[in-house]
Amino acid sequence: MSHFGSGTEYGLHCLILLAQAPGAIISSRDLAELQGVSVYFLAKIFPRLEKAGIVTASEGIRGGYTLARPADEITVLDVVEAIEGRKPLFECQEIRGRCAVFGGQPPAWATAGVCGIHAVMIRAERILHDELARTTLSGLADGVGRKAPPGFETDVQAWLADRFESRAQAQIAAVKKPRPRRQNET
Amino acid sequence: MSHFGSGTEYGLHCLILLAQAPGAIISSRDLAELQGVSVYFLAKIFPRLEKAGIVTASEGIRGGYTLARPADEITVLDVVEAIEGRKPLFECQEIRGRCAVFGGQPPAWATAGVCGIHAVMIRAERILHDELARTTLSGLADGVGRKAPPGFETDVQAWLADRFESRAQAQIAAVKKPRPRRQNET
DNA sequence: TATAACACAGAGTATATTGCTCTGCGTTAT
DNA sequence: ATAACGCAGAGCAATATACTCTGTGTTATA
Ligand code: FES
Ligand code: FES
């Protein structure tokens, strides 16, 4: 297994989609089905992104998620920490104080400050975090956009708009009122 | 829980002890009891260090472990990878190819090369590894030695030497007084 | 040569996490 | 009123963590 779970991959891909459609409201179901991942699983990770202030949720029919701030103000680190939680790289259990030569009463110098091993880990963790914070969602979205042919992004938007409309039409079918509607596309 | 398990903390502390006594053969039991950690647990992680070529084992009574290489040629990364295994930071499941607009047949451009998200993770992982490879066991041992008062290291060596000798004398002692463990009791 | 301490392989255990499934509730637009 | 939504939380199989314990084979020494 890897250190980051698959939720991080799903989440980041979803957020790139949201970044490519600024202002659009997309439901977690549509995002899941567009990408072929579990609807239920994605529905579990989005509340974490909301609590972290990365996306905002709108409830009710036609509800869904939007980025809570501009895509260039959301870093990969923000997303990883929101989804994985703030797991430290290393958790010191202060075994240095348990050394048998101290006989249960470690002297002050032995437990003062941070253990050398722990210090290395703290430094490594900060460097890792700095690197992850260097890339933003807009940076990622640009990379994807540069790679795909020009028609692709509009295809995706069309797929999502289709989904969005089919929800409106379900209402029309049920209530038997004319006039479908299309809005957004900021 | 943290990304690195407690085995890494135990292992690194043990290896520092071995680095401070170059050439000495120390058993995993002595290392465990000196530091107040589980003898059994430590006995499970040392074979991994041996397979990674960090430490060499000698069997039989008076057996134990020694560093296989000079302490300044063993990096923290070597130890972490030996104990934790080579877990990648991130495991890409290529969900980009599952996009619904491709209809099960992703075009070549979509799956060519490495996904942008994956690329960020690979870069971060390499930076983390570089940082962990920057510190060696001798660097860690120096840090500990600088912090401890002059008498401490010799105290530890004395404790270990005592243990080592008591094994030779256990033969004599076994005749004089009954050993608690093991109820053969002939 | 008997024996005790060792390395090492492996099974066993309790607990936690992962990835995913499913149910139920309150909210909201039509 | 209804259907789709967010969201909280239970459940679940598979895996991982941190140990614990047993058994086998090796080696130095009395
Ligand atoms: S005591 Fe925890 S890393 Fe040294
Ligand atoms: S497809 Fe795996 S990270 Fe993008």
Side-chain angles (χ1 to χ4, degrees):
Chain A
M1 238 205 5
S2 49
H3 286 126
F4 295 161
S6 52
T8 298
E9 181 172 6
Y10 302 169
L12 280 168
H13 273 279
C14 287
L15 291 172
I16 288 178
L17 258 352
L18 288 176
Q20 286 170 333
I25 290 175
I26 311 181
S27 73
S28 62
R29 160 167 282 113
D30 285 356
L31 285 170
E33 289 178 358
L34 173 61
Q35 298 180 104
V37 304
S38 160
V39 175
Y40 294 125
F41 187 56
L42 210 55
K44 283 212 92 149
I45 79 166
F46 261 99
R48 297 188 210 173
L49 292 171
E50 207 224 338
K51 284 183 186 65
I54 292 170
V55 297
T56 54
S58 23
E59 291 202 332
I61 186 172
R62 296 226 175 177
Y65 294 98
T66 323
L67 294 188
R69 5 181 241 266
D72 60 350
E73 289 174 23
I74 300 171
T75 70
V76 173
L77 178 65
D78 294 333
V79 178
V80 169
E81 289 199 328
I83 294 175
E84 304 280 333
R86 292 213 173 180
K87 284 196 251 184
L89 184 65
F90 181 81
E91 208 150 7
C92 176
Q93 298 177 240
E94 293 292 341
I95 71 166
R96 59 186 174 165
R98 285 192 250 158
C99 182
V101 305
F102 299 148
Q105 296 287 329
W109 64 263
T111 54
V114 152
C115 175
I117 293 171
H118 195 187
V120 171
M121 298 302 184
I122 289 173
R123 204 161 60 232
E125 184 177 42
R126 198 172 55 242
I127 284 175
L128 172 66
H129 283 187
D130 287 352
E131 178 61 26
L132 290 177
R134 190 156 291 142
T135 310
T136 65
L137 279 191
S138 64
L140 280 176
D142 286 354
V144 173
R146 232 192 309 283
K147 198 173 169 187
F152 176 65
E153 200 169 318
T154 53
D155 282 356
V156 171
Q157 302 302 324
W159 190 95
L160 287 169
D162 206 49
R163 276 302 185 105
F164 196 80
E165 288 214 16
S166 73
R167 291 212 279 281
Q169 272 156 20
Q171 292 298 311
I172 295 155
V175 189
K176 308 235 158 41
K177 239 191 234 172
R179 184 68 201 103
R181 214 169 138 239
R182 173 134 183 224
Q183 52 191 64
N184 81 318
E185 195 84 350
T186 319
Chain B
M1 243 204 3
S2 49
H3 286 125
F4 294 160
S6 52
T8 298
E9 180 171 5
Y10 301 169
L12 280 168
H13 272 279
C14 287
L15 291 172
I16 288 177
L17 258 351
L18 288 176
Q20 286 171 333
I25 290 175
I26 312 182
S27 74
S28 62
R29 158 167 283 114
D30 285 357
L31 252 6
E33 289 179 358
L34 172 62
Q35 297 179 104
V37 304
S38 160
V39 175
Y40 295 124
F41 187 55
L42 211 55
K44 282 214 93 147
I45 79 166
F46 260 100
R48 296 187 210 174
L49 293 171
E50 206 224 339
K51 282 181 188 65
I54 291 171
V55 102
T56 54
S58 25
E59 291 202 332
I61 185 172
R62 296 227 175 177
Y65 295 97
T66 323
L67 294 188
R69 303 175 266 175
D72 60 352
E73 289 173 23
I74 300 171
T75 69
V76 173
L77 177 65
D78 294 332
V79 178
V80 169
E81 289 198 329
I83 294 175
E84 304 280 332
R86 290 213 173 180
K87 284 197 250 185
L89 184 65
F90 182 80
E91 207 151 6
C92 175
Q93 299 176 238
E94 293 295 341
I95 70 165
R96 59 186 176 167
R98 286 192 247 158
C99 182
V101 306
F102 300 148
Q105 295 287 330
W109 64 263
T111 53
V114 153
C115 175
I117 293 171
H118 195 186
V120 171
M121 298 301 183
I122 288 173
R123 203 161 60 233
E125 184 177 42
R126 198 172 53 242
I127 284 176
L128 172 65
H129 283 187
D130 287 351
E131 178 61 27
L132 290 178
R134 189 155 292 141
T135 310
T136 65
L137 280 191
S138 64
L140 281 175
D142 284 355
V144 173
R146 231 191 311 283
K147 199 174 169 187
F152 175 64
E153 199 170 317
T154 52
D155 282 356
V156 171
Q157 302 302 324
W159 191 94
L160 288 168
D162 205 49
R163 276 301 183 106
F164 193 79
E165 290 218 9
S166 75
R167 292 213 276 281
Q169 274 149 25
Q171 296 295 317
I172 306 160
V175 185
K176 290 180 188 167
K177 59 180 176 183
R179 299 286 285 177
R181 214 71 180 140
R182 209 98 166 131
Q183 75 265 26
N184 292 22
E185 202 65 39
T186 48

